[in-house]
């Protein structure tokens, strides 16, 4: 069956840092054009971030009201700020994300694939959102990146934390702050048909 526009969600423009109002307005299934500053980090960087928090030390980047994109970008071609930067499978960050949400104030995550119940619980408690980038679109996503710079853990190479300035980066709300989950809704939709 064809999904109505209401079921598929609507397109929304979101600018970082993320506000409670912006997060509350996002519903699972909404298309988002994301602009502003976002940070990149994968599992190695997440491990270092959570170890830093556990030790009671200050993080190398203030994640309060910020969004982390799970990506290890390819090297930039001459004249470009970043290379291809498709999303990493988000479940690799599931053991670290709840601590960053609860203790560092992280409000948004961007990646691909489902999340654990622990991550979803932390999102609901702390009003955070999980966005999905479309897999296989790393080159297209790179065009939304206007500036990129390594700001922490340079020794991790492609997995270092980068500060990106993005403009109209396309993504979808996969799990909203109420815990509505596009991955589950999609399965339920197919079961009904």
């Amino acid at each position: 069956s064809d999904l109505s526009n209401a079921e598929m969600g609507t397109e929304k423009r979101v600018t970082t840092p993320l506000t409670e109002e912006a997060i509350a307005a996002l519903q699972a299934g909404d298309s988002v054009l994301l602009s502003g500053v976002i940070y990149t980090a994968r599992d190695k960087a997440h491990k270092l971030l959570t170890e830093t928090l556990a030790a009671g030390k200050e993080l190398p980047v203030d994640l309060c009201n910020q969004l982390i994109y799970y990506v290890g970008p390819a090297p930039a071609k001459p004249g470009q700020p970043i290379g291809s930067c498709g999303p990493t499978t988000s479940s690799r960050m599931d053991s670290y994300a709840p601590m960053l949400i609860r203790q560092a104030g992280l409000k948004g995550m961007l990646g691909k694939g489902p999340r654990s119940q622990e991550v979803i619980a932390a999102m609901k408690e702390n009003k955070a959102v999980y966005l999905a980038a479309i897999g296989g679109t790393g080159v297209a996503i790179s065009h939304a990146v206007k500036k990129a710079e390594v700001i922490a853990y340079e020794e991790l190479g492609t997995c270092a934390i980068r500060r990106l300035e993005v403009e109209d980066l396309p993504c979808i709300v996969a799990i909203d702050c109420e815990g509505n989950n596009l991955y589950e809704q999609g399965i339920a939709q197919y079961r009904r048909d």
Side-chain angles (χ1 to χ4, degrees):
S1 73
D2 288 339
L3 293 176
S4 70
N5 201 28
E7 286 173 313
M8 286 300 292
T10 56
E11 185 168 271
K12 297 183 175 162
R13 291 184 174 275
V14 175
T15 303
T16 61
L18 298 172
T19 63
E20 281 192 25
E21 297 78 23
I23 292 169
L26 296 174
Q27 296 180 318
D30 286 347
S31 294
V32 172
L33 291 174
L34 183 66
S35 296
V37 171
I38 64 174
Y39 297 93
T40 70
R42 285 176 38 178
D43 39 348
K44 288 178 184 174
H46 275 70
K47 184 175 190 288
L48 293 172
L49 289 169
T50 54
E51 287 171 352
T52 301
L53 280 175
K57 297 181 180 163
E58 195 173 318
L59 294 178
V61 56
D62 182 0
L63 294 176
C64 189
N65 301 321
Q66 298 299 332
L67 181 140
I68 290 180
Y69 179 24
Y70 302 147
V71 63
K77 290 187 169 76
Q80 296 180 337
I82 202 163
S84 179
C85 53
T88 296
T89 302
S90 300
S91 60
R92 291 172 52 183
M93 276 50 76
D94 280 2
S95 58
Y96 309 111
M99 181 186 239
L100 294 179
I101 293 167
R102 291 183 176 118
Q103 294 183 29
L106 181 68
K107 289 294 185 184
M109 297 156 288
L110 175 61
K112 69 176 179 186
R115 305 307 301 268
S116 71
Q117 288 307 309
E118 292 79 7
V119 173
I120 295 169
M123 288 172 56
K124 287 166 67 176
E125 288 164 24
N126 298 279
K127 299 294 182 211
V129 65
Y130 170 54
L131 305 172
I134 312 303
T137 59
V139 173
I141 291 171
S142 72
H143 295 305
V145 178
K146 303 306 174 192
K147 189 176 177 187
E149 62 179 322
V150 173
I151 59 165
Y153 309 140
E154 191 170 358
E155 68 277 10
L156 297 180
T158 189
C159 296
I161 295 178
R162 285 171 173 74
R163 179 186 184 275
L164 306 184
E165 290 179 21
V166 299
E167 189 176 304
D168 292 344
L169 189 155
C171 46
I172 297 168
V173 179
I175 306 173
D176 64 30
C177 67
E178 303 296 324
N180 298 308
N181 189 333
L182 193 60
Y183 294 102
E184 291 171 3
Q185 291 169 357
I187 292 167
Q189 176 69 33
Y190 282 107
R191 283 197 187 120
R192 283 198 302 267
D193 291 349

